[in-house]
Amino acid sequence: MKASIKAALISALVFPGLGHLVLRRGARGLLFIVPTLLAGGYLLRATLTLAGTLMDEVNSGRLPPDPLLVLERVHNSGIDNPVTNGAALVCILCWIGSVADALWLGRHR
């Protein structure tokens, strides 16, 4: 298997930018790894904070354990805002970009 294909698969299936390590282009890989980690960390923190809040409300009895009511509460929580949407977009763009860049690097090597 060609190194570029292997790098693209690692970046696509494991984590964006890790395939660049196979190509010995670690600094370039960090351009994909760092933004993805920061954006993913923000999304994880926001999700866990909301989940903790919802669990507290369900456990205290303020929110019935009805899936439709919980879903409505999630929609009303404001988690769907420009910052979280931007963080998700950064993750998607880094993922796609790292695969494309790994393939490009392999062909121009």
Side-chain angles (χ1 to χ4, degrees):
M1 181 181 298
K2 292 174 63 174
S4 62
I5 300 295
K6 187 176 181 180
L9 285 173
I10 290 171
S11 286
L13 300 175
V14 180
F15 199 81
L18 288 183
H20 288 75
L21 300 178
V22 172
L23 298 173
R24 304 210 187 286
R25 301 293 296 259
R28 194 164 180 161
L30 286 176
L31 294 174
F32 297 105
I33 293 170
V34 171
T36 305
L37 281 176
L38 292 173
Y42 174 80
L43 289 172
L44 182 62
R45 185 175 59 92
T47 303
L48 290 177
T49 301
L50 178 60
T53 303
L54 291 175
M55 286 302 299
D56 290 342
E57 289 181 16
V58 168
N59 288 336
S60 70
R62 290 183 306 217
L63 180 65
D66 179 18
L68 294 177
L69 291 175
V70 172
L71 182 61
E72 181 181 327
R73 174 67 175 84
V74 168
H75 287 298
N76 293 333
S77 71
I79 197 164
D80 186 21
N81 60 47
V83 177
T84 55
N85 292 340
L89 183 63
V90 165
C91 289
I92 292 168
L93 291 177
C94 284
W95 223 295
I96 293 169
S98 70
V99 172
D101 189 54
L103 287 172
W104 184 84
L105 280 174
R107 292 180 190 205
H108 291 90
R109 209 168 166 181

